[in-house]
């Protein structure tokens, strides 16, 4: 079956509509699991509520999904939005997240992840091997995600399990049980396949036992200090995650600053909320006017007036309530 041609350049969307925003909300608030990748742009997803159903999403020009919402209106559904926002980590208002389809070059950019905020690469530690020949669990980093639900492991308070015989990486126990149901493994001695390295993950019996005892296990996020804002990068200096006081723009979508970048007068045209620990709610900042404000240049460690501070003699400086 031939796919309809994608939108012309003149028809490209420039703003996030209310309808698409609602679909994105549905995507981010639904429990959706990635069961299988069918090539670089095909994905098999599962929803378990209100009933267990599988959906096939293909990115292209245009994007395609077999759900009733897409088939009825040929508009972006929550499953396509989930792939764009969760799998590929697009900001909600990114140009690629607004379109009915993407051109070949845009798909390549999406696959390369050029839009993502990345922390500096760290050398991986030598993998430890247990006495029985299985691998030890790798340490969970700030950017590590569960490859099935695409949630940051240190952000979501769910216990994890790990690949014993392939890569040592972690996924949520609940997610691995859902994947086991899809792999249709019935024998408790049978081996599950790792969703990351495709090698043997662990026997089904181990996953079932971990699932039964998961309420007693400590989630990975609970081991991290509360001053680390897990899953949140600084949009200016790329620190990931932000540590200490975290500032969030009230007008932009998912725009955060660390304390140093906030003090350096970055992004001062908008108002901010803040929190000091990740278990706290966001608090508003009150405004105080100043005649002159000088900004600290973090590279030279000297005080100088930055361009965004020179635009107005009087501007709004933010102070914690």
């Amino acid at each position: 079956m031939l796919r309809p041609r994608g939108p012309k350049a003149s028809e490209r969307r420039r703003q996030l509509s209310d309808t698409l925003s609602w679909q994105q909300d549905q995507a981010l608030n639904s429990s959706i699991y990635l069961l299988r990748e069918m090539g670089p742009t095909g994905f098999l997803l599962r929803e378990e509520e209100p009933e267990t159903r599988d959906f096939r999403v293909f990115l292209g020009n245009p994007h395609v999904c077999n759900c009733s919402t897409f088939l009825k209106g040929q508009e972006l559904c929550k499953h396509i939005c989930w792939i764009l926002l969760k799998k590929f980590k697009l900001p909600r208002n990114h140009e690629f997240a607004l379109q009915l389809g993407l051109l070949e070059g845009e798909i390549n950019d999406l696959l390369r992840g050029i839009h993502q905020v990345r922390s500096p690469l760290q050398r991986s530690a030598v993998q430890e091997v247990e006495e029985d020949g299985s691998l030890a669990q790798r340490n969970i980093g700030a950017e590590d995600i569960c490859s099935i639900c695409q949630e940051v492991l240190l952000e979501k308070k769910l216990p994890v399990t790990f690949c014993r015989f392939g890569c040592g990486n972690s996924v949520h126990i609940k997610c691995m049980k859902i994947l086991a149901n899809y792999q249709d493994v019935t024998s408790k001695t049978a081996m599950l396949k790792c969703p990351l390295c495709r090698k043997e993950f662990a026997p089904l019996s181990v996953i079932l036992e971990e699932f039964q005892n998961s309420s007693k296990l400590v989630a990975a996020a609970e081991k991290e200090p509360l001053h680390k804002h897990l899953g949140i990068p600084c949009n200016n200096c790329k620190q990931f995650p932000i540590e200490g006081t975290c500032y969030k723009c009230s007008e932009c979508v998912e725009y955060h600053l660390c304390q140093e970048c906030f003090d350096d007068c970055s992004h001062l045209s908008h108002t901010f909320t803040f929190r000091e620990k990740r278990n706290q709610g966001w608090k508003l900042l009150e405004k105080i006017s100043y005649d002159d404000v000088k900004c600290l240049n973090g590279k030279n460690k000297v005080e100088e007036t930055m361009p965004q501070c020179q635009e107005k003699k009087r501007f709004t400086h933010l102070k914690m309530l």
Side-chain angles (χ1 to χ4, degrees), residues 231-259:
I232 300 180
C234 175
N235 288 79
N236 189 54
C237 71
K238 314 307 181 189
Q239 176 189 356
F240 188 90
I242 291 177
E243 298 187 21
T245 304
C246 178
Y247 295 88
K248 179 180 180 180
C249 180
S250 302
E251 301 176 45
C252 296
V253 178
E254 295 302 318
Y255 190 95
H256 302 83
L257 292 175
C258 65
Q259 182 69 63

Side-chain angles (χ1 to χ4, degrees), residues 272-319:
F272 278 78
T273 57
F274 77 97
R275 69 182 186 189
E276 295 176 333
K277 298 179 180 180
R278 67 174 181 273
N279 63 343
Q280 297 175 338
W282 296 97
K283 299 179 182 179
L284 293 173
L285 298 168
E286 68 178 20
K287 301 178 180 179
I288 298 179
S289 295
Y290 286 89
D291 290 332
D292 266 317
V293 174
K294 289 188 175 182
C295 304
L296 181 65
N297 184 314
K299 293 183 179 179
N300 299 324
K301 300 299 180 183
V302 295
E303 200 173 27
E304 59 183 41
T305 304
M306 294 180 68
Q308 60 265 44
C309 300
Q310 294 174 345
E311 292 179 0
K312 296 180 182 180
K313 286 292 182 180
R314 285 179 173 272
F315 69 96
T316 301
H317 184 62
L318 305 175
K319 182 180 179 182

